[in-house]
Amino acid sequence: MKRYGGFAGLLALGLWSGSATDALGQRAEAAGGPSGGNGTLCLAERRSEIRIDGLLDEPAWEGAPVVTDFVQGEPVEGAAAEQPTEVRLLFDDEAIYVGARLAEPGGRIARQLVRRDETGQADYFEVSFDPNRDRRTGYQFRVSAAGVQRDAYLFDDDRQDDSWNAVWEAEVAVGRDGWSVEMRIPWSQVRYEPGSRPQTWGVNFVRWRVAAGERTYWALVPRNQHGRVSFFRAMEDVRVPDGARRLELRPYALGRTHSGPAEPGDPFFGGRETDIQAGVDLRYGLGSAFTLDATLNPDFGQVELDPAVINLSAFETFFDEKRPFFVEDARIFDFSLGGFRDQLFYSRRIGREPQGSAPEDATHADIPDQSTILGAAKLTGRTTGGLSLGALAAVTAEEEGVAAFAGDEPGASSQRAFVAQPRSWHGVARARQDLRAGATTVGGILTAVGRELPGDRSFAFLPSSAYTAGVDFEHMWGDREWAVEGYLAGSMVRGDSVALVEIQRSSNHYFQRPDGGFTVDSGRTSLAGASWEVGVERRSGEHWTGGVSVGRATGGFEVNDLGFSGSSESMGVNARVRYREVQPGRLFRSYEVELTTFQNWRGAVLESPLDGAAWKREHKNGSVWTRGQWTLNNFWGGRFEYAYRPEVLSDVATRGGPLMVDPANQKIELRGNTDERKRLSFGAGGGYETGEAVRALDFEVGVTWRPVARLELELEPGFEVATVRDQYVATLDTLPYAPTFGSHYLFGELERRSVSLETRLNVTFTRDLTLQLFARPLLDAGEYTSYKRLDRAASFAFTTLETGAPADLDGDGAPATCAGGALCEVDGTQYVDLDGDGAIDGSFGDRDFNLVSLRGNAVVRWEYRPGSTLFLVWQQRRSDRRPFGDFDFARDRADLLDVHPDNIFILKLNYWLGL
């Protein structure tokens, strides 16, 4: 559960405030700062030519209205700005023009040169528009004193999507007593409702001065109040063109070369392969409010690599989306569920790695890394009536793999194609309606996946179709100080009984648990479930905010065909309280402290809600933690966290077996950093976790060095050591064992060590030409010092399996007994005598591991004309996993350097054409 709400707000749910519009008007007027007046700006028409060079020396600027009444947001909220700022606005039939003069005597202008859409340590000027005056959405355009552009889409009043990109112009000029900026923002780059009458938009201007750590606003956005767009002041007399053309084409051409180690006898990869492709992306404006994105033969490769991870948990690893088509304008599709990262739409399911495998007797196989996306289209937009709409559809091809088989004669072989992934279609539709000037929203979502499964039932383990639907709402009152929000979602999965058994036995269901309230139905061909949550929150306050929420997920709730969820059946409660101080004092520039708790129970507790023992038995997860963060007046910062997890009965520790005690533990973390504005800054931190089941220590140091404005180097070495006493290993069913419902559940004591060094180098030759280097070497070792069996259900009691010697090996190398113990190892396989009768009762693979990994890339990016880029990319991946277990830095480092790498070189050129 991750939404929180206010403490007493449930008593006020029926107070549907009819005065919300008046309250928001008061909020916007109050945001105007100390200048008084009506807090509005009248837009003027451009009467003569403007050359975008940053100088503001054209006569046209003399007729523009002037904005000067800026007020501090930081460090002293509400105080007058230390240095004057003067802003002018003009418009014509093609664009809005923004000019600003920013005084800064003494040459204290910070001008770090970074890549487009990055901030760095540089002064900047920013303008934001709310074209629909809905007080929830808008567009942000920022220019640094080094001339670097950054833009973002604003949504939900206080959130922003940095992946949104527009094509616009900006230049700066730096003088002895300050700097100036000119911006030209075409109407075609923002969405608005055309009309013949003058309109009123929301607008705000923001300035950041690195040397003073000062942020100033034209419309103050208080840090202790919720919202951003709702504080914008009015810009009147906006006369938009009847219909700005918004047709954009971006054709691309790409060449890729892959070289890497070739396995002897592999007929599919001889050490090098090349690929050339071309395609086109289209963006078409349906009116001024909606945009249709379509793509033909898309390139859905990603420049930035996913990190290497060792996942020893029962759940899937979540990776962020990085592909441009899915990232841009994606916020309309957000529908978060109660669990951490859980969501109904997870775009990385589209074009995923094929889920089929080669026949077991194949010697080699050639399987694509990703499913081919034949085509995709996306429609997004928002009306002046506050209705946001989004629809996305994508079709992925049936992927074929090729398997090679050894022949009867030496050197003879044959090949045969097989289906690696069935053709699939994916769709999502989302709508949200704002009411009461954006203080209330209601929305809904539908997602669907369909698969054309082969008739031979080779993919019977995949659902043939999956659907989800959800509604969500948010209602704010008291000038957006209080809010209640929630959602209700349902799911339906259909398919062969094989697929439904797979789902029922997966880690977020575990219907097979012998002491659970569910059973696996082997004849089931569909599964349905639901999830809901509601919370109340105090979002604004001089110091105190907080909230509470409750939620429930049923056992059949399953969204992982097009969504992401690691949560199982549960009900939960969250609560949070926070104290925040934003005004500088004698020591602190600002600080905050927060106390949070969440507690989850299995739904069976509702069968005996008055039974205290039932609440203890069904308690599956929980935590209480306090955290704080601060910034000192010298700009040094830090944070701390202390968390306590009580003892619970886990239903995932045995991977589908009975409940098992998860002992209490506690963890403390402390992090700190020096002044990040300096050329050389440091950060360091560490955490310590202790309990009956785990003891872990981690530590990292960060160094950032900017010797010149064009160069930045970041180094972050990290070290972790952990002892885990209840790491799941295997389940053996060869002999009955009544205390754990018939099966033997084996665990290990794991000693783990890891060292990593994350390195980033950014070189900015010009605003349009950059080089970014990233590398992350990782050495990770895990040694199982002992293995043991769970003695009984609902306990943390184990019997250690003493190590013996293999004896009486058969022709396959398997021992008949383990002399002197219950466990012995032969060639990476552990053999177990479970009942002590001297005979081997089962086996499992030895779990010791050493992972050596290096993932890195180098990206040269040249924006040779606005919206058009040339990429030159080098990606290197090298990894190996070996069964040593112990950590030896010199050996593992040498092993990493000896691994033959995979190298991928990509040259990609796209051309933006606005028609």
Side-chain angles (χ1 to χ4, degrees):
M1 303 292 172
K2 71 176 183 181
R3 284 190 172 90
Y4 305 102
F7 315 124
L10 287 172
L11 299 177
L13 298 187
L15 300 180
W16 186 274
S17 172
S19 61
T21 302
D22 293 338
L24 289 170
Q26 294 169 5
R27 164 181 282 222
E29 184 175 347
S35 63
N38 60 10
T40 62
L41 167 69
C42 291
L43 196 60
E45 187 173 0
R46 179 179 66 86
R47 299 297 183 183
S48 59
E49 191 67 27
I50 293 179
R51 186 175 65 256
I52 304 300
D53 56 11
L55 295 175
L56 277 78
D57 55 359
E58 296 87 356
W61 289 116
E62 297 177 2
V66 182
V67 171
T68 58
D69 50 338
F70 278 67
V71 61
Q72 280 190 36
E74 297 178 53
V76 183
E77 193 169 286
E82 291 182 2
Q83 297 295 336
T85 302
E86 178 185 290
V87 183
R88 289 175 164 83
L89 269 77
L90 294 168
F91 78 95
D92 60 20
D93 290 339
E94 300 293 333
I96 295 179
Y97 298 81
V98 183
R101 292 190 175 97
L102 307 101
E104 189 66 65
R108 301 200 307 164
I109 304 171
R111 302 188 64 204
Q112 184 187 0
L113 196 59
V114 295
R115 181 172 168 170
R116 190 188 194 279
D117 285 329
E118 296 185 359
T119 299
Q121 295 299 324
D123 291 12
Y124 65 72
F125 170 78
E126 173 184 293
V127 58
S128 300
F129 299 110
D130 173 8
N132 294 317
R133 196 64 170 139
D134 57 27
R135 299 174 173 87
R136 289 189 67 91
T137 62
Y139 302 90
Q140 179 189 97
F141 302 89
R142 177 187 297 178
V143 183
S144 77
V148 177
Q149 296 175 232
R150 179 184 173 99
D151 41 35
Y153 175 67
L154 309 177
F155 66 104
D156 287 352
D157 196 4
D158 67 339
R159 302 173 64 190
Q160 74 179 48
D161 179 5
D162 293 323
S163 65
W164 180 80
N165 286 305
V167 179
W168 51 288
E169 299 176 65
E171 292 292 342
V172 301
V174 178
R176 183 171 52 186
D177 296 323
W179 60 291
S180 58
V181 57
E182 287 181 318
M183 306 161 67
R184 182 183 183 274
I185 303 167
W187 294 109
S188 62
Q189 298 303 297
V190 299
R191 296 171 181 172
Y192 60 88
E193 190 66 24
S196 58
R197 296 182 178 180
Q199 299 181 5
T200 298
W201 288 17
V203 67
N204 200 5
F205 308 107
V206 182
R207 178 185 178 184
W208 169 250
R209 299 171 57 231
V210 171
E214 181 195 55
R215 192 184 315 275
T216 55
Y217 298 85
W218 183 54
L220 176 63
V221 180
R223 285 178 285 167
N224 57 9
Q225 294 190 44
H226 175 79
R228 181 196 307 184
V229 182
S230 56
F231 286 99
F232 287 8
R233 295 162 77 174
M235 182 171 68
E236 298 179 342
D237 203 24
V238 181
R239 285 167 283 173
V240 299
D242 290 337
R245 291 179 300 174
R246 294 195 298 121
L247 174 59
E248 301 176 9
L249 296 175
R250 186 177 275 119
Y252 79 90
L254 179 147
R256 178 187 288 110
T257 298
H258 170 214
S259 64
E263 185 178 339
D266 186 349
F268 304 115
F269 182 66
R272 181 179 296 274
E273 59 184 2
T274 61
D275 177 34
I276 298 176
Q277 66 184 73
V280 62
D281 297 333
L282 177 147
R283 170 167 286 199
Y284 180 65
L286 302 176
S288 298
F290 288 87
T291 299
L292 174 66
D293 292 279
T295 182
L296 177 64
N297 193 28
D299 169 38
F300 284 128
Q302 59 188 60
V303 171
E304 188 171 349
L305 297 171
D306 293 322
V309 295
I310 291 287
N311 186 353
L312 300 178
S313 74
F315 302 103
E316 175 186 8
T317 300
F318 181 94
F319 291 110
D320 292 326
E321 179 62 87
K322 300 168 184 175
R323 299 171 295 178
F325 177 84
F326 293 110
V327 168
E328 294 176 358
D329 292 335
R331 298 287 67 84
I332 177 60
F333 300 106
D334 289 350
F335 194 103
S336 297
L337 302 172
F340 178 64
R341 294 188 180 274
D342 290 3
Q343 50 199 264
L344 281 191
F345 177 55
Y346 179 46
S347 58
R348 288 194 64 147
R349 301 295 187 201
I350 303 175
R352 67 187 302 170
E353 181 181 356
Q355 295 163 277
S357 57
E360 292 184 0
D361 56 341
T363 58
H364 298 89
D366 181 24
I367 301 176
D369 293 331
Q370 295 177 328
S371 301
T372 302
I373 300 177
L374 296 176
K378 178 171 57 178
L379 175 67
T380 57
R382 181 181 177 87
T383 71
T384 54
L387 177 62
S388 298
L389 294 173
L392 185 149
V395 178
T396 56
E398 177 182 274
E399 292 294 342
E400 279 196 348
V402 182
F405 303 87
D408 295 332
E409 300 295 330
S413 64
S414 62
Q415 296 182 9
R416 185 171 73 245
F418 63 93
V419 177
Q421 181 74 12
R423 179 186 293 267
S424 305
W425 56 267
H426 313 75
V428 56
R430 180 77 157 106
R432 293 185 70 183
Q433 176 66 58
D434 292 350
L435 304 168
R436 301 173 57 246
T440 298
T441 63
V442 292
I445 189 173
L446 294 171
T447 76
V449 176
R451 299 184 176 96
E452 297 179 8
L453 301 179
D456 60 3
R457 300 186 75 235
S458 58
F459 278 84
F461 62 90
L462 290 180
S464 58
S465 61
Y467 307 92
T468 68
V471 293
D472 57 355
F473 71 93
E474 179 186 53
H475 173 63
M476 294 180 284
W477 70 94
D479 198 14
R480 306 198 182 201
E481 178 181 354
W482 293 87
V484 57
E485 63 178 345
Y487 75 86
L488 171 63
S491 67
M492 170 65 76
V493 181
R494 298 181 183 275
D496 192 280
S497 59
V498 174
L500 271 296
V501 168
E502 289 279 338
I503 292 173
Q504 294 174 80
R505 297 181 64 87
S506 64
S507 60
N508 56 324
H509 297 288
Y510 282 148
F511 281 8
Q512 71 270 30
R513 283 199 304 114
D515 54 355
F518 302 93
T519 57
V520 175
D521 183 351
S522 60
R524 182 187 288 271
T525 57
S526 66
L527 183 68
S531 175
W532 62 266
E533 186 175 71
V534 63
V536 188
E537 180 179 11
R538 187 190 185 199
R539 293 179 170 175
S540 302
E542 182 180 359
H543 295 295
W544 294 97
T545 57
V548 64
S549 66
V550 296
R552 174 88 167 92
T554 67
F557 188 63
E558 171 58 47
V559 302
N560 284 309
D561 285 278
L562 194 53
F564 184 93
S565 177
S567 302
S568 56
E569 181 269 345
S570 67
M571 59 169 291
V573 177
N574 300 322
R576 170 179 64 87
V577 61
R578 181 176 70 174
Y579 180 89
R580 185 177 186 182
E581 177 59 73
V582 300
Q583 297 291 5
R586 296 183 60 185
L587 179 61
F588 294 99
R589 181 180 172 91
S590 64
Y591 66 89
E592 64 180 57
V593 181
E594 183 176 307
L595 177 65
T596 305
T597 183
F598 79 89
Q599 306 296 331
N600 289 346
W601 293 266
R602 283 172 284 275
V605 74
L606 299 177
E607 299 174 5
S608 306
L610 302 180
D611 183 357
W615 285 92
K616 182 177 181 180
R617 182 178 64 252
E618 303 301 338
H619 193 194
K620 63 180 296 179
N621 200 2
S623 182
V624 179
W625 70 90
T626 182
R627 64 183 69 176
Q629 60 184 36
W630 61 88
T631 302
L632 302 177
N633 286 325
N634 64 355
F635 290 92
W636 288 40
R639 64 183 178 90
F640 78 90
E641 180 175 323
Y642 171 79
Y644 173 77
R645 292 184 64 252
E647 179 181 296
V648 297
L649 283 174
S650 171
D651 51 21
V652 300
T654 57
R655 306 300 195 266
L659 298 176
M660 175 177 143
V661 167
D662 185 0
N665 67 22
Q666 53 189 331
K667 183 175 182 178
I668 187 169
E669 294 185 7
L670 184 63
R671 310 276 189 241
N673 62 270
T674 64
D675 186 351
E676 296 175 344
R677 303 172 304 161
K678 303 296 186 182
R679 289 189 174 185
L680 183 63
S681 62
F682 299 91
Y688 179 69
E689 183 177 6
T690 182
E692 186 177 357
V694 64
R695 180 172 289 111
L697 174 68
D698 66 85
F699 183 76
E700 69 270 351
V701 177
V703 180
T704 302
W705 182 41
R706 290 182 293 273
V708 294
R710 300 175 184 270
L711 177 67
E712 181 177 78
L713 175 64
E714 297 180 17
L715 298 174
E716 187 175 318
F719 174 74
E720 182 178 0
V721 55
T723 300
V724 180
R725 299 187 178 94
D726 60 347
Q727 181 61 54
Y728 173 82
V729 172
T731 299
L732 298 181
D733 299 314
T734 50
L735 287 178
Y737 185 65
T740 51
F741 298 92
S743 298
H744 299 257
Y745 296 92
L746 305 185
F747 293 79
E749 294 207 8
L750 172 63
E751 298 286 346
R752 190 170 180 180
R753 306 287 186 274
S754 89
V755 173
S756 64
L757 175 61
E758 188 167 300
T759 304
R760 294 182 183 272
L761 175 65
N762 300 315
V763 183
T764 309
F765 304 105
T766 70
R767 290 178 301 174
D768 304 318
L769 179 61
T770 60
L771 167 65
Q772 293 186 314
L773 297 172
F774 168 80
R776 185 176 185 267
L778 170 68
L779 309 178
D780 197 339
E783 181 179 11
Y784 286 78
T785 58
S786 66
Y787 294 98
K788 51 192 178 182
R789 179 186 63 192
L790 181 65
D791 284 348
R792 59 186 182 277
S795 76
F796 196 71
F798 301 93
T799 295
T800 299
L801 303 176
E802 299 296 336
T803 301
D808 301 327
L809 274 64
D810 61 20
D812 295 328
T817 186
C818 292
L823 184 78
C824 53
E825 185 265 339
V826 177
D827 294 334
T829 299
Q830 297 282 355
Y831 296 88
V832 189
D833 176 7
L834 295 171
D835 56 4
D837 65 353
I840 297 300
D841 300 314
S843 64
F844 58 89
D846 188 72
R847 296 298 194 263
D848 290 350
F849 67 86
N850 281 75
L851 173 71
V852 294
S853 167
L854 172 63
R855 293 198 167 202
N857 62 351
V859 181
V860 175
R861 180 184 185 274
W862 177 32
E863 188 171 356
Y864 59 92
R865 66 185 300 271
S868 303
T869 51
L870 172 69
F871 291 95
L872 178 60
V873 182
W874 170 40
Q875 297 178 346
Q876 184 178 106
R877 294 171 290 188
R878 58 173 75 195
S879 66
D880 194 12
R881 183 164 175 161
R882 305 181 185 187
F884 302 139
D886 64 310
F887 184 86
D888 185 320
F889 180 80
R891 179 199 64 202
D892 294 343
R893 180 181 60 84
D895 287 346
L896 176 60
L897 296 176
D898 288 340
V899 173
H900 193 64
D902 277 287
N903 288 295
I904 298 175
F905 294 91
I906 302 172
L907 178 64
K908 179 179 179 180
L909 176 72
N910 62 43
Y911 184 85
W912 180 85
L913 182 62
L915 302 176

